[in-house]
Amino acid sequence: MAAKLRKGDKVVVLAGKDKGKEGTIQSVSPTTGKAVVEGINMAIRHTRQSQNSQGGRIPKAMPIQLSNLALLDKNGKATRVGFRMEGDKKVRFAKTTGDVIDA
């Protein structure tokens, strides 16, 4: 099945403690159905000091379920993603505006 959300997409959180926040997808894991979004679902990780990094409590973005994310269209509103054929290429488009997301 084609990926509706991809790395680099601007998304908004629909549910959870970060509801309403916006961010950019850093990585997607299709097998687990989760994505890491910049600045969303932050957790504190305690790390030991090493030769090249300072130790302490470091905030880290944790994966969030894909179903809790929605793509932002050009107007900055949450939208669903559709697929259509343009020529011989399959492209993603925003359902609210009908604009192609990636040409």
Side-chain angles (χ1 to χ4, degrees):
M1 186 159 153
K4 293 183 184 251
L5 298 175
R6 297 181 185 162
K7 181 178 176 179
D9 286 347
K10 283 274 288 173
V11 293
V12 63
V13 180
L14 300 176
K17 67 178 184 179
D18 294 322
K19 182 177 180 176
K21 290 187 182 177
E22 298 176 5
T24 306
I25 295 180
Q26 293 176 330
S27 67
V28 178
S29 175
T31 54
T32 59
K34 295 187 177 201
V36 175
V37 183
E38 180 182 343
I40 304 293
N41 201 23
M42 299 299 281
I44 300 293
R45 289 287 167 245
H46 300 306
T47 58
R48 185 183 299 264
Q49 183 174 358
S50 67
Q51 209 166 16
N52 48 3
S53 69
Q54 181 71 28
R57 300 174 61 200
I58 298 173
K60 180 181 178 186
M62 301 303 288
I64 187 169
Q65 196 71 30
L66 288 173
S67 62
N68 293 333
L69 300 175
L71 189 72
L72 288 175
D73 61 2
K74 66 178 183 182
N75 302 328
K77 301 223 175 194
T79 182
R80 289 181 293 163
V81 179
F83 293 95
R84 67 176 171 225
M85 297 298 289
E86 289 193 359
D88 59 346
K89 285 185 79 173
K90 184 178 183 181
V91 295
R92 297 185 304 158
F93 72 97
K95 293 266 189 157
T96 55
T97 60
D99 293 335
V100 175
I101 296 165
D102 42 28

